Amino acid sequence: RCTKQFQDDARYKNDPRYLRIWIRYIDTCSDPTDVFAFLYSRGIGLSLSLFWISWAFVLEARKHDYAAALSKFEEGEGREAQPLDKLRSEAARFRKRMAKRV
């Protein structure tokens, strides 16, 4: 209910508390990439590193789409999602995992 009630409210677009509720919902979905695409289209969470890290994780762990996961990290870095140091740290950890796969 909360996710639907506030999805068009600009005050919550980049509120980490609101995004965490969406992430909890995403954890219950069989195909969370659709939900991330919806959030992206609505501009929800785009300036938060949690959004980009979570999306990249889903792409890596559930979809095994490593190129798309890297793309999400890069887009989040390009948008300077906050906290940026957390995003960069997670992106570096992802790159290390990918280097081990080769």
Side-chain angles (χ1 to χ4, degrees):
R1 233 173 37 193
C2 176
T3 55
K4 288 183 181 180
Q5 183 172 353
F6 299 113
Q7 70 187 12
D8 295 319
D9 191 328
R11 294 175 298 172
Y12 297 102
K13 294 274 186 206
N14 287 296
D15 186 321
R17 298 167 299 178
Y18 184 55
L19 181 59
R20 278 190 216 101
I21 293 167
W22 274 104
I23 299 299
R24 282 191 205 154
Y25 170 70
I26 286 168
D27 287 341
T28 68
C29 296
S30 59
D31 188 6
T33 54
D34 291 339
V35 181
F36 278 110
F38 171 80
L39 295 174
Y40 186 90
S41 73
R42 296 291 182 120
I44 297 171
L46 302 185
S47 70
L48 300 172
S49 61
L50 176 61
F51 176 79
W52 301 102
I53 292 166
S54 299
W55 198 354
F57 176 78
V58 163
L59 290 166
E60 176 187 0
R62 289 198 185 179
K63 298 290 186 178
H64 306 289
D65 189 344
Y66 308 113
L70 178 59
S71 169
K72 297 307 169 197
F73 279 119
E74 290 172 345
E75 186 170 352
E77 289 173 331
R79 290 174 178 265
E80 297 186 359
Q82 297 300 311
L84 189 55
D85 59 329
K86 174 74 172 165
L87 180 59
R88 287 182 174 152
S89 171
E90 291 297 324
R93 290 178 58 200
F94 170 79
R95 288 181 179 101
K96 280 185 180 179
R97 286 193 303 276
M98 293 307 101
K100 288 180 182 179
R101 293 181 50 89
V102 180

